[in-house]
């Protein structure tokens, strides 16, 4: 593997950096987008049950906020109600929507970077191909008009750079694109469920406020 990297020349080093960054981002997203950290299945029902008789105190709200991303959205509504028991339904929804936007930003973190790597890796591979072609033509004898009449070693080196970089660019881009699409669909599903849960909890708080 090392001999292939050496043969590919300097254009492969940006691709190697992209592959390492993409792997790190994929691992980070898998860790951060676990269901238990974003949308625990029973949290909404438990929160509604606890707050059915009265609005929980600040300690309970703080604990709920640290539970998960859904907990942050629900806690925002409870904090608004604790701060002003007579607040309007619009104020409750505004507080939860503001928290929801923050959560959405956290869910979508690093996804643009993955998309950029998936788009840039083939272009970096193409750059390596072009550089390889330049070396191929540069290896020809100045007085010769036929390709292949120059130094065979330099000719083979230029071809190897072209092929290795093209292949490695695709090797990096294809898995990165697959993971980006997977995380994108997962985040969209989370956002939809968070919106539905927030709407249900807002109706509960509005009834509690009355």
């Amino acid at each position: 593997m090392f001999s292939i990297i050496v043969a590919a020349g300097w254009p492969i080093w940006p691709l190697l950096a992209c592959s390492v960054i993409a792997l790190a981002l994929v691992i980070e997203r898998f860790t951060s987008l676990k269901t238990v950290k974003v949308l625990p299945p029973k949290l909404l029902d438990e929160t509604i049950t606890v707050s059915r008789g009265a609005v929980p105190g600040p300690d309970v709200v703080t604990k709920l906020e640290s539970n998960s991303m859904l907990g942050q959205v629900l806690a925002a509504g409870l904090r608004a109600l604790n701060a002003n028991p007579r607040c309007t339904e619009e104020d409750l929804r505004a507080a939860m929507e503001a928290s929801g936007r923050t959560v959405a930003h956290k869910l979508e973190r690093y996804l643009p970077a993955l998309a950029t790597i998936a788009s840039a890796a083939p272009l970096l591979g193409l750059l390596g191909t072009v550089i390889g072609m330049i070396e191929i033509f540069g290896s020809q004898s100045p007085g010769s008009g036929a390709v292949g009449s120059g130094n065979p070693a330099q000719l083979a080196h230029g071809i190897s750079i072209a092929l290795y970089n093209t292949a490695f660019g695709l090797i990096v881009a294809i898995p990165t694109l697959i993971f980006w699409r997977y995380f994108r669909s997962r985040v969209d599903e989370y956002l939809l469920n968070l919106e539905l849960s927030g709407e249900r909890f807002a109706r509960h708080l509005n009834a509690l406020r009355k």
Side-chain angles (χ1 to χ4, degrees):
M1 184 65 183
F2 180 75
S3 61
I4 293 176
I5 293 174
V6 172
W10 69 264
I12 205 170
W13 291 108
L15 284 171
L16 286 173
C18 286
S19 67
V20 172
I21 294 172
L23 179 60
L25 294 180
V26 167
I27 294 174
E28 191 280 336
R29 289 291 82 191
F30 266 120
T31 303
S32 299
L33 294 179
K34 291 181 178 179
T35 302
V36 68
K37 291 185 176 182
V38 179
L39 202 72
K42 299 181 180 180
L43 181 63
L44 177 60
D45 292 333
E46 291 174 353
T47 305
I48 290 176
T49 301
V50 169
S51 60
R52 185 157 289 160
V55 180
D59 293 340
V60 176
V61 175
T62 301
K63 185 177 180 181
L64 174 64
E65 187 176 30
S66 61
N67 178 273
S68 61
M69 294 187 182
L70 173 60
Q72 295 179 30
V73 176
L74 303 182
L78 292 174
R79 284 189 188 280
L81 206 55
N82 272 325
N84 182 13
R86 296 184 179 180
C87 67
T88 64
E89 181 180 359
E90 289 74 17
D91 292 336
L92 282 175
R93 292 182 180 274
M96 295 179 68
E97 287 173 1
S99 179
R101 286 191 291 270
T102 302
V103 167
H105 178 72
K106 292 179 181 178
L107 288 173
E108 295 175 346
R109 184 185 300 172
Y110 303 132
L111 293 187
L114 275 178
T116 300
I117 292 174
S119 301
L123 298 178
L124 291 173
L126 180 60
L127 174 63
T129 302
V130 173
I131 292 174
M133 293 296 104
I134 292 173
E135 288 200 14
I136 290 174
F137 288 108
S139 68
Q140 307 310 305
S141 300
S144 172
V147 176
S149 60
N151 189 324
Q154 290 183 354
L155 181 62
H157 180 66
I159 294 174
S160 68
I161 289 179
L163 296 180
Y164 285 144
N165 281 278
T166 301
F168 201 77
L170 294 175
I171 289 172
V172 173
I174 293 172
T176 304
L177 179 61
I178 292 173
F179 280 116
W180 175 76
R181 291 296 302 171
Y182 169 74
F183 289 133
R184 181 72 265 173
S185 63
R186 193 167 183 176
V187 166
D188 289 343
E189 182 180 358
Y190 279 143
L191 290 176
L192 175 61
N193 288 325
L194 283 170
E195 183 178 353
L196 294 175
S197 299
E199 179 65 26
R200 180 184 169 191
F201 194 66
R203 291 197 300 268
H204 164 73
L205 291 182
N206 188 46
L208 188 66
R209 180 178 60 86
K210 296 176 181 179

